[in-house]
Amino acid sequence: MGSCCTPDHSCSTGAEGAGGTAVAVAETVTVTDTTTAYAVSGMTCGHCRTAITGAVGALPGVVSVDVDVAGGLVTVTTGGAPDDAAIAAAVDDAGYELTGRA
């Protein structure tokens, strides 16, 4: 796993803060959209939030991504059923580990 964060949980990129939430919205949520929460390990800072939001948000069918660094949760809204394997791969490519649905 290639996180930007150091062993003492500080960000090597200089990004500040471990809490908070980031949201990326591609379009308006509709009735057919599905929201799924995933447990993700290795997130400790704002850079982590940005990296996961960008990686998962770029997947086809993803409507929005909400990252809760402090809670270790990534909530993904998709236009239909989520592709768990693609979401896990995107999280892994960003340098973190999706440990399952929350």
Side-chain angles (χ1 to χ4, degrees):
M1 211 170 338
S3 175
C4 69
C5 301
T6 63
D8 69 351
H9 301 292
S10 63
C11 183
S12 63
T13 64
E16 298 296 325
T21 301
V23 177
V25 177
E27 57 189 71
T28 303
V29 177
T30 65
V31 176
T32 60
D33 292 344
T34 302
T35 300
T36 308
Y38 299 93
V40 175
S41 65
M43 301 185 300
T44 59
C45 67
H47 178 265
C48 302
R49 183 181 320 113
T50 301
I52 290 175
T53 299
V56 175
L59 294 173
V62 171
V63 175
S64 69
V65 179
D66 177 44
V67 178
D68 177 0
V69 172
L73 295 175
V74 175
T75 304
V76 181
T77 301
T78 54
D83 184 343
D84 290 340
I87 293 168
V91 169
D92 184 61
D93 288 347
Y96 308 92
E97 182 182 5
L98 188 149
T99 58
R101 287 190 179 199

